[in-house]
C-alpha cells in the first residue's frame, strides 16, 4: 500500500465518526429552533434563520476538509451526508403533510454533491508533488 492511501479500517471508521459529528452539529445549530415566525401579514417563515444554516455549513467544512485532507473520502462524503439525512428525517418527520420526505431527499442529494466537490478540491489541493519515476 502506498503512503498516500489511508488504512481501510480508518477509512471505514471515519464514516460513523463524521455521521456523528454531522448529527451533533445539526442539533447544535438547528435542533433547538422548532417554531415558525408569524409576520403581521399572516405569512410564516422558519423555523430556521439564514444565520443558523450558514453556521451549520461553515462548521461542517472543518471536519469534511480534515477528512478529505487525510484521504478519508468515504467519511467526508458518506458520513456527512448520512448524518445530515438522519438528522433532517428525525427533525422533520412530525410533519403531517408528508412533504418532509422531499426536503430530506434534497438534504441527502445536496449534501452528497457538495461534500463530494469539497472533498475532491481539498484532496487535489493537499496532494503532494507528483513522484518522478526514474527513466528507463
Amino acid at each position: 500500500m502506498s503512503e498516500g492511501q489511508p488504512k481501510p479500517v480508518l477509512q471505514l471508521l471515519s464514516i460513523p465518526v463524521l455521521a456523528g459529528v454531522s448529527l451533533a452539529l445539526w442539533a447544535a445549530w438547528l435542533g433547538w429552533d422548532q417554531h415558525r415566525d408569524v409576520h403581521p401579514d399572516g405569512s410564516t417563515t422558519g423555523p430556521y434563520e439564514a444565520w443558523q444554516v450558514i453556521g451549520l455549513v461553515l462548521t461542517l467544512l472543518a471536519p469534511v476538509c480534515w477528512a478529505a485532507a487525510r484521504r478519508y473520502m468515504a467519511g467526508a462524503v458518506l458520513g456527512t451526508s448520512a448524518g445530515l439525512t438522519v438528522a433532517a428525517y428525525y427533525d422533520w418527520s412530525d410533519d403531517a403533510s408528508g412533504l418532509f420526505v422531499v426536503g430530506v431527499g434534497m438534504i441527502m442529494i445536496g449534501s452528497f454533491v457538495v461534500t463530494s466537490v469539497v472533498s475532491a478540491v481539498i484532496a487535489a489541493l493537499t496532494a503532494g508533488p507528483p513522484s518522478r519515476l526514474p527513466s528507463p
Side-chain angles (χ1 to χ4, degrees):
M1 206 181 300
S2 72
E3 260 182 61
Q5 296 295 325
K7 295 182 177 165
V9 172
L10 294 177
Q11 182 74 261
L12 290 175
L13 186 60
S14 69
I15 296 171
V17 168
L18 270 288
V21 168
S22 300
L23 279 164
L25 288 174
W26 180 287
W29 284 102
L30 305 178
W32 54 271
D33 193 359
Q34 298 298 316
H35 72 280
R36 295 194 176 273
D37 299 323
V38 179
H39 300 284
D41 64 355
S43 64
T44 60
T45 59
Y48 314 122
E49 299 291 332
W51 65 267
Q52 291 172 282
V53 177
I54 292 168
L56 173 64
V57 169
L58 291 178
T59 53
L60 274 173
L61 274 175
V64 169
C65 290
W66 176 86
R70 284 155 184 76
R71 303 295 187 266
Y72 300 143
M73 298 304 181
V77 176
L78 298 177
T80 303
S81 298
L84 291 177
T85 302
V86 168
Y89 183 87
Y90 179 80
D91 198 14
W92 299 341
S93 64
D94 60 349
D95 177 38
S97 71
L99 288 176
F100 76 95
V101 176
V102 174
V104 170
M106 291 172 68
I107 292 288
M108 181 179 61
I109 293 167
S111 62
F112 183 83
V113 169
V114 170
T115 55
S116 296
V117 170
V118 168
S119 297
V121 168
I122 294 301
L125 291 175
T126 59
S131 61
R132 299 193 74 120
L133 298 175
S135 299

